[in-house]
């Protein structure tokens, strides 16, 4: 009974405590190894409260980075794409999210990361959440999945900076389908093309 009263009276404090604990835990051990139970323990709350305020562990991770998007919106279309369509699908899905109504907030979060905030969390988010499915699918030969995904991410960061931050034309106003058709093959080469031996 007293727990309910405390939850209602200190809702913002409880949310903040969970977020602080989650940031620390994710930064320390990464997304995969951080459990809801360990985060709840660090925040001094019941694990059910973490789910109550934030839903899934993915959604909690997005909240720690102040991302206004559920990672599943990115992961689902990419997961469903045929291997030969991954490059264009990545560009179309990710840039489509930036161009959507929530994109302004996503770009603001990215600016914050570039300014030096939560770099470890951002790396963990990219490799262990947003692009985890891709990394596992393109791990050929074995052990190259991370290299492939990081190369693709570097290209996507360049697109984001050119399109949404520096607003370099014609990339800034190029229709999404055109951009996907032009940049997709480069992403595809990183993900499924040959890599230099010993690289």
């Amino acid at each position: 009974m007293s727990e309910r009263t405390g939850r209602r009276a200190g809702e913002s404090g409880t949310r903040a405590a969970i977020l602080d604990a989650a940031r620390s835990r994710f930064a320390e051990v990464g997304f995969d190894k951080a459990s809801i139970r360990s985060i709840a323990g660090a925040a001094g709350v019941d694990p059910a409260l973490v789910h109550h305020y934030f839903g899934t562990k993915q959604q909690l991770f997005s909240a720690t980075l102040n991302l206004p998007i559920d990672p599943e919106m990115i992961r689902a279309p990419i997961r469903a794409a045929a291997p030969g369509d991954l490059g264009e699908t990545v560009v179309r899905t990710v840039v489509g999210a930036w161009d959507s109504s929530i994109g302004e907030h996503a770009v603001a979060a990215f600016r914050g990361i570039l300014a030096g905030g939560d770099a470890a969390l951002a790396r963990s988010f990219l490799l262990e959440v947003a692009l985890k499915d891709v990394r596992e699918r393109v791990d050929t030969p074995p052990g190259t999945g991370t290299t492939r995904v990081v190369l693709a991410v570097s290209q996507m960061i360049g697109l984001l900076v050119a399109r949404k931050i520096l607003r370099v034309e014609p990339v800034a106003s190029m229709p999404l389908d055109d951009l996907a058709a032009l940049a997709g093959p480069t992403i595809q080469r990183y993900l499924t093309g040959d890599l230099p031996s010993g690289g």
Side-chain angles (χ1 to χ4, degrees), residues 15-85:
R15 270 185 67 91
I18 293 169
L19 276 177
D20 286 345
R23 279 192 198 95
S24 297
R25 192 73 183 140
F26 286 137
E28 182 185 346
V29 301
F31 176 81
D32 287 339
K33 293 181 181 173
S35 68
I36 291 291
R37 183 171 296 280
S38 69
I39 291 166
V45 302
D46 189 278
L49 271 183
V50 180
H51 292 294
H52 169 75
Y53 286 120
F54 297 100
T56 66
K57 187 166 78 161
Q58 274 188 198
Q59 290 168 326
L60 174 59
F61 202 1
S62 295
T64 66
L65 285 169
N66 198 28
L67 294 177
I69 185 171
D70 183 341
E72 193 58 24
M73 288 177 61
I74 303 291
R75 292 179 70 176
I78 295 173
R79 195 165 47 233
D85 296 333

Side-chain angles (χ1 to χ4, degrees), residues 103-117:
E104 188 177 325
H105 302 292
V107 173
F110 180 76
R111 283 180 188 271
I113 292 166
L114 284 184

Side-chain angles (χ1 to χ4, degrees), residues 5 11 27 76 92 95 99 104 121 125 149 160 167 172 178 182 186 197-198:
T5 308
E11 185 167 320
R92 186 171 283 107
V95 176
D99 290 351
E104 188 177 325
L121 290 180
F125 176 81
V149 165
L160 172 58
R167 300 188 182 278
D178 293 352
L182 287 168
T186 298
S197 55

